[in-house]
Amino acid sequence: MAVQRSSRPALSRPLRLLVLAACLAPPFAWSQAQAPSTPPATACPLQPRYPLPADRSDLQKLATAQQAAADERGCLTNAAFHAWRGATLLALGRTAEAIEPLERALLHDPDLPGAQLDLAQALAAEGDTASARAFLAHMRQRSDLPLPIGQVIDRQLEILSLPTPLANVLTAGWQSRWQFSAMGGSETNLNNAPSSSEVTLTFPQGDVTLPLDVESRPRSGGATLGVVQWQGLRPWNESVLVVQAEFKARQTGDSETSYQQSDVAATWLDAPAASRQWVARVARSHLRYGGTSLLRATRATLQYQWEARERTEASPWSEVLAGCRPAASLELEHRGYPESRVLDGLYQGGAAGWLCRRSMVGRGIEALTANTFFYGAQARLGSDRPLQAARAGGAYRRAEVRAQWEGPWLGGRVGAQWSTTRQRDRTPYSPLLGNVPRSTIRHVLQLEASWPLTESLALVANAEISRQSSNLAVFDARQRSVYMGLRWEVMQ
């Protein structure tokens, strides 16, 4: 009997991929092909294989083979097989037929996350938005769910409650988000000047200490900061494409200390539904400072992500690391300085770290969002090779350690990030500066907080404290900044 479809909005296709790939976050540590909790006595003649065929005719042949094997003894109680069959029917657009095998999969393994997401999508497509919301709300309570993915689930829950015309617009094609921020504040070093008031030069006759010109010393003052951000998600067969763009402008009372910065990046996730996957990313940045094109950088990253750790009783760190996903990457970056080509360089390096998320128990979607904690750590090591031999200091080695945390605070959310970066040249920087290799260490603490005023408007504040020390005093620097303003968010 044909199923009468409702005009209620369906979840975006495929929801599983969009949720898993949201906001460049690590994907779920779950595989749709996860083994059933109780293996059948007889093996199923068809074993789940991902990704699904991209060609529709091959997909149809697979659905026919799955239908023929559905009543085999070894397949009847195989949750992974039924979830696989349901995913195939969903990919063919046969949402009504997909519901039965997906429900059967969850009957044998209620915690199979891939099947939960697919069933929510199928139910929404058939007009049963109440059940779809219930499944998504259940998914939202998982302790190993990364924060950005939870935010996308929240958005899908909001979409299901919207009037039909608007929801249909939001669920078609690209899923995107705009953010507009306007802030005002002050900084203690608008011109990024050295903190020292004098410089010591080395001559054959001996050292000479000279005072720095007043214009070369740190300038403090007020500034306004405007930021526009766009982020888009789009499925591509079994993969997901994520595109991000940001434009930031700081305006001060002096054009020499104002700047404009633009960044654009594209990220490809090859199999977000899998427990492990490759992630490739390319990015481009441009910085104009004081009316001059100061820096143009192009970056490429190839990352591998492992499945998230599960909670065990054996280790005291089990509770802290539960839901943490390890990742390692290779990085390549070309840095160009249009006004001083001798500084151009090519950076090569690697990074490794963890990305973790925990949720405290709460009632309702709002409580779940408010009680989410996010934390992680990363270590990076690499070297920058000059493209011209005349660059002062030659090649340099750079090492960085970074840690971050985010959680609820006073009805809003607060985040903190700490980084320490060490850099050392391989050759002496300059005969006039002691003829020794330059060595620097930089510490940066960043704080950010937001409090919602309405569904789309929030009060935001951020602060930054940085300190750079060097064996060459001319590279010592200090900076503090505080900004506060409003952020407006628009979903499309």
Side-chain angles (χ1 to χ4, degrees), residues 13 65 77 92 200 207 234 256 342 353 372 384 449 468 470:
R13 177 193 177 275
T77 58
L92 288 168
T200 300
D207 292 345
R234 186 177 181 86
E256 293 184 359
V342 71
T372 298
D384 190 293
Q468 179 172 291
S470 175

Side-chain angles (χ1 to χ4, degrees), residues 335-385:
R335 298 174 67 86
Y337 299 84
E339 298 297 319
S340 185
R341 287 299 182 185
V342 71
L343 299 177
D344 292 2
L346 183 66
Y347 173 84
Q348 296 172 294
W354 295 81
L355 191 63
C356 312
R357 178 190 180 278
R358 292 186 63 187
S359 292
M360 307 300 291
V361 177
R363 299 184 61 184
I365 298 302
E366 294 79 6
L368 286 169
T369 304
N371 294 329
T372 298
F373 292 86
F374 167 84
Y375 51 96
Q378 186 181 60
R380 176 177 283 107
L381 180 65
S383 61
D384 190 293
R385 177 175 57 85

Side-chain angles (χ1 to χ4, degrees), residues 56-125:
R56 185 173 180 82
S57 61
D58 292 339
L59 200 62
Q60 183 60 56
K61 292 177 183 178
L62 177 60
T64 302
Q66 291 171 335
Q67 174 64 37
D71 294 328
E72 294 286 341
R73 178 177 298 180
C75 301
L76 283 174
T77 58
N78 191 320
F81 169 80
H82 293 299
W84 182 41
R85 183 181 169 217
T88 302
L89 294 171
L90 268 184
L92 288 168
R94 293 155 60 179
T95 54
E97 298 176 55
I99 293 177
E100 186 272 332
L102 292 170
E103 288 180 336
R104 185 177 295 188
L106 294 175
L107 177 66
H108 296 292
D109 188 349
D111 293 324
L112 194 62
Q116 291 175 343
L117 288 170
D118 284 343
L119 183 56
Q121 180 182 353
L123 291 170

